[in-house]
């Protein structure tokens, strides 16, 4: 008889996450529930599922790299292809609009097939066209390309579904918001990586250092990097991770260990709950704002304050960098409010955060100095991300059996908000 692997003791494993403010109870974070001894004798550590789940934020991070890789390049693309301001906004609208449809689809598909394959497929669907950015020759081609790349934004839904399946609802706010915060951080890193590091590097490589001339070869080549990263990560995700702590959905269904789920009925059940629609509207008002800022911040700072692409990209990245802690702090605060006041506590914090976001958006719009705009953007960004974390702390409570569909519909609301706000700026002079 083979001895079990040292990482897999024969007893069930349970990790406990202690919340300091909870007096008489402790939130149990059950990461591994493998009680079947045959799993231990197979030398297949279920702990790798735990490791994969904690890396979901980084997966969504890479999807963001491909999704917004073109955004800091828009000034150069505009000069090369002689595009108008309206045509640039059209492409930005298309990049966000695709996510509305695919986020809705991703929810019930995650309920039925698990998040692993859905995330992998979406990553490849975004990575391959991202590497083809250099083939764009017209405004229509740019819009079509960004529409296809926008599929990568739908990886948010299986990521949230996967995280929700790993953690109990008492700590769902912290878990979901930390994973999503790391993912949304990609929006800020992309501004620096593409606009301030890789683009200048490719300019030097191709000898396109003259600021009076468009760096055509550079912007046509630079997007190969994030696209390639997405494709490699998709392979690793599908090959080396599991759908849940007890294994893959397909095998568990074949063994009769879990029931089959209808994607259509799952989506129908989620859409019939009025709380789902309320969360859709609220998420549109915060994540929709973040998407608009990710697409427009570089153009805003170059036009309004005369900054170069490199400096404007660095400034715009601050908005995304706030995801490093702001969204996680929003979810954690929601969990703390839940521990002391229950669901009402979550809703109180969510309302305060959304109200503060709205106030600072107005202040940001009226700020005329560069320093004041940056300072206001930092505070405004904090409340945007905190609101997102607070909203997804509530999602697992809406309809627990169809959490994937609820997460998909709410996530689609965020993209829909981005589309609406982008259309407004498209016609705003």
């Amino acid at each position: 008889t083979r001895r079990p692997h040292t990482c897999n003791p024969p007893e069930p494993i349970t990790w406990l996450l202690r919340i300091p403010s909870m007096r008489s109870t402790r939130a149990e974070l059950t990461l591994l529930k493998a009680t079947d001894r045959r799993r231990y004798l197979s030398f297949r550590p279920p702990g790798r599922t735990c490791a994969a789940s904690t890396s979901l934020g980084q997966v969504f991070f890479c999807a963001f790299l491909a999704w917004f890789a073109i955004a800091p390049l828009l000034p150069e693309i505009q000069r090369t292809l002689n595009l108008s301001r309206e045509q640039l906004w059209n492409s930005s609208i298309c990049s966000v609009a695709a996510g509305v449809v695919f986020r809705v689809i991703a929810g019930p598909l995650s309920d039925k097939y698990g998040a692993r394959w859905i995330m992998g497929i979406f990553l490849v669907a975004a990575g391959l066209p991202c590497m083809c950015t250099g083939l764009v020759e017209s405004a229509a081609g740019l819009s079509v390309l960004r529409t296809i790349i926008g599929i990568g934004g739908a990886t948010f839904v299986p990521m949230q579904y996967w995280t929700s399946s790993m953690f109990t609802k008492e700590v769902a706010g912290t878990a979901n918001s930390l994973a999503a915060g790391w993912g949304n951080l990609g929006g800020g890193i992309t501004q620096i990586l593409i606009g301030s590091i890789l683009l200048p590097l490719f300019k030097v490589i191709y000898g396109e250092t003259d600021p009076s001339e468009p760096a055509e070869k550079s912007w046509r080549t630079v997007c190969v990097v994030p696209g390639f990263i997405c494709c490699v990560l998709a392979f690793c995700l599908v090959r080396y991770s599991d759908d849940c702590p007890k294994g893959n959905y397909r095998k568990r269904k074949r063994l009769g260990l879990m029931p089959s789920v209808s994607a259509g009925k799952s989506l129908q059940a989620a859409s019939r709950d009025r709380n789902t629609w309320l969360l859709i509207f609220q998420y549109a008002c915060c994540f929709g704002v973040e998407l608009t800022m990710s697409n427009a911040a570089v153009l805003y700072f170059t036009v309004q304050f005369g900054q170069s692409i490199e400096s404007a990209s660095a400034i715009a990245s601050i908005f995304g960098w706030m995801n490093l802690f702001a969204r996680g702090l929003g979810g954690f605060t929601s969990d703390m409010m839940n521990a002391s006041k229950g669901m009402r506590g979550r809703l109180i914090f969510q309302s305060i955060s959304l109200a503060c976001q709205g106030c600072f958006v107005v202040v940001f719009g009226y700020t005329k100095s560069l320093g004041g705009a940056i300072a206001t953007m930092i505070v405004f960004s904090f409340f945007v991300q905190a609101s997102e974390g607070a909203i997804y702390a509530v999602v697992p409570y809406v309809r627990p059996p169809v959490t994937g569909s609820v997460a998909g519909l709410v996530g689609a609301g965020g993209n829909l908000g981005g589309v609406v706000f982008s259309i407004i700026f498209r016609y705003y002079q």
Side-chain angles (χ1 to χ4, degrees), residues 36-44 48 112-114 116-117 241-260:
D36 187 350
R37 186 174 179 85
R38 285 174 299 178
R39 277 185 60 82
Y40 301 117
L41 298 180
S42 66
F43 285 91
R44 184 186 183 198
R48 77 180 186 192
K112 184 174 179 62
Y113 299 107
R116 180 172 60 105
W117 277 99
S241 64
D242 294 331
D243 293 324
C244 68
K246 291 187 177 181
N248 293 325
Y249 280 16
R250 183 177 179 181
K251 182 177 180 180
R252 288 177 55 76
K253 290 177 182 178
R254 188 172 66 248
L255 296 176
L257 299 177
M258 67 178 295
S260 181

Side-chain angles (χ1 to χ4, degrees), residues 132-164:
C132 298
T133 301
L135 303 178
V136 172
E137 296 291 346
S138 64
L142 179 63
S143 296
V144 171
L145 180 73
R146 298 195 72 186
T147 300
I148 301 174
I149 296 176
I151 297 174
T155 54
F156 169 77
V157 175
M159 180 267 294
Q160 291 286 275
Y161 175 82
W162 214 346
T163 309
S164 296

Side-chain angles (χ1 to χ4, degrees), residues 140-382:
L142 179 63
S143 296
V144 171
L145 180 73
R146 298 195 72 186
T147 300
I148 301 174
I149 296 176
I151 297 174
T155 54
F156 169 77
V157 175
M159 180 267 294
Q160 291 286 275
Y161 175 82
W162 214 346
T163 309
S164 296
S165 68
M166 296 287 180
F167 296 83
T168 61
K169 292 187 290 185
E170 288 78 10
V171 294
T174 304
N176 286 343
S177 59
L178 283 174
W182 271 99
N184 288 10
L185 177 63
I189 299 295
T190 302
Q191 305 288 351
I192 291 182
L193 179 64
I194 302 297
S196 301
I197 298 178
L198 290 181
L199 182 61
L201 176 62
F202 277 75
K203 284 182 178 180
V204 173
I205 294 175
Y206 289 114
E208 299 175 327
T209 55
D210 187 357
S212 62
E213 297 293 332
E216 182 174 358
K217 292 182 180 179
S218 300
W219 73 257
R220 289 187 181 277
T221 310
V222 70
C223 286
V224 172
V225 177
F228 178 75
I229 292 175
C230 282
C231 293
V232 172
L233 185 62
F235 171 79
C236 295
L237 187 72
V238 173
R239 178 66 179 83
Y240 298 108
S241 64
D242 294 331
D243 293 324
C244 68
K246 291 187 177 181
N248 293 325
Y249 280 16
R250 183 177 179 181
K251 182 177 180 180
R252 288 177 55 76
K253 290 177 182 178
R254 188 172 66 248
L255 296 176
L257 299 177
M258 67 178 295
S260 181
V261 177
S262 171
K265 290 182 178 179
S266 172
L267 182 61
Q268 187 180 35
S271 61
R272 285 182 173 179
D273 195 309
R274 63 181 180 181
N275 293 314
T276 301
W277 293 99
L278 180 60
L279 292 175
I280 287 173
F281 175 76
Q282 292 174 335
Y283 200 62
C285 293
C286 53
F287 188 64
V289 172
E290 180 173 358
L291 290 178
T292 305
M293 285 293 294
S294 296
N295 275 320
V298 174
L299 283 173
Y300 178 77
F301 284 104
T302 55
V303 174
Q304 291 293 114
F305 300 103
Q307 300 296 303
S308 65
I309 294 179
E310 290 78 9
S311 60
S313 297
I315 294 171
S317 70
I318 297 174
F319 191 94
W321 273 103
M322 297 298 291
N323 278 290
L324 188 61
F325 67 93
R327 183 157 182 163
L329 185 60
F332 178 75
T333 305
S334 179
D335 286 340
M336 295 299 98
M337 293 292 287
N338 177 66
S340 59
K341 298 181 181 297
M343 179 57 69
R344 182 173 295 276
R346 290 190 188 272
L347 299 179
I348 289 173
F349 172 71
Q350 182 178 324
S351 301
I352 293 173
S353 184
L354 284 168
C356 291
Q357 170 199 318
C359 292
F360 280 99
V361 166
V362 175
V363 175
F364 175 75
Y366 282 96
T367 303
K368 301 301 180 183
S369 65
L370 178 61
I374 295 174
T376 308
M377 183 180 69
I378 291 174
V379 181
F380 146 52
S381 175
F382 172 82

